[in-house]
Amino acid sequence: MRGVGIALAGLAAILAAGACATREAGAGSDTTNASPIYGVTIPAGYRGWELVAPALEADPLNELRAVVANRVAIEAYQAGRLPFPDGTVLVKLAWKRAQSAEFEPASVPGAATTVQVMVKDSKKYAATGGWGFGRFVDGKPVDEAQHQTCFACHEARVQGHDYVFTRLAP
């Protein structure tokens, strides 16, 4: 378990370092690949956003995950402000866990699995708690049936936290 912690700390450092170069690079996106139902796209420059928190998903998915956020979201997290303001964007990156070749006890990111996006717009997405969702594999949105499960899961589990699972890592 210690190796997993080391790998997640390394992942956090890599993502945080990228944030220094392009903190607000989220303006603009590829609208040709919008998610069904919500019309959410992968925001341009999201890989340079600040890290909210890493996560480890055990079986059956066996994934390493990291959630990054735009400046609007980071400021809300830091202020402890709920609900999140309109303009908040959260992006979850996920990879299969792989064993480190250099340090056997550690897990490192393997093959990418998904990029998932949440966008706060309380008017546009009023029916889903103010949030629009997008789930992407290889940069392309998954089918409508998979997007129908997004809000239901968030509503059932984290309605009291403005439908957001991830807390800001200390």
Side-chain angles (χ1 to χ4, degrees), residues 39-131:
V40 169
T41 59
I42 297 174
Y46 74 93
R47 296 291 295 242
W49 290 358
E50 289 188 55
L51 177 71
V52 174
L56 173 65
E57 174 71 31
D59 292 332
L61 296 176
N62 196 31
E63 291 180 334
L64 293 175
R65 297 175 173 185
V67 174
V68 297
N70 69 355
R71 172 66 20 214
V72 174
I74 292 297
E75 289 174 0
Y77 270 117
Q78 290 171 338
R81 190 174 350 155
L82 287 178
F84 286 91
D86 284 357
T88 293
V89 182
L90 305 172
V91 178
K92 178 171 64 177
L93 298 91
W95 304 267
K96 281 296 188 189
R97 274 181 20 187
Q99 185 178 27
S100 170
E102 294 80 19
F103 185 62
E104 192 173 302
S107 293
V108 297
T113 58
T114 63
V115 172
Q116 297 178 35
V117 181
M118 287 179 68
V119 175
K120 184 71 179 265
D121 183 327
S122 57
K123 291 180 180 141
K124 183 175 183 178
Y125 304 117
T128 52
W131 292 97

Side-chain angles (χ1 to χ4, degrees), residues 112-170:
T113 58
T114 63
V115 172
Q116 297 178 35
V117 181
M118 287 179 68
V119 175
K120 184 71 179 265
D121 183 327
S122 57
K123 291 180 180 141
K124 183 175 183 178
Y125 304 117
T128 52
W131 292 97
F133 300 87
R135 188 181 300 170
F136 305 85
V137 174
D138 295 326
K140 307 286 185 217
V142 297
D143 63 39
E144 186 172 324
Q146 289 186 48
H147 279 91
Q148 289 174 344
T149 65
C150 294
F151 181 65
C153 185
H154 286 252
E155 182 179 39
R157 293 177 171 84
V158 285
Q159 185 173 358
H161 196 262
D162 195 22
Y163 307 99
V164 175
F165 283 97
T166 305
R167 306 305 194 269
L168 184 63

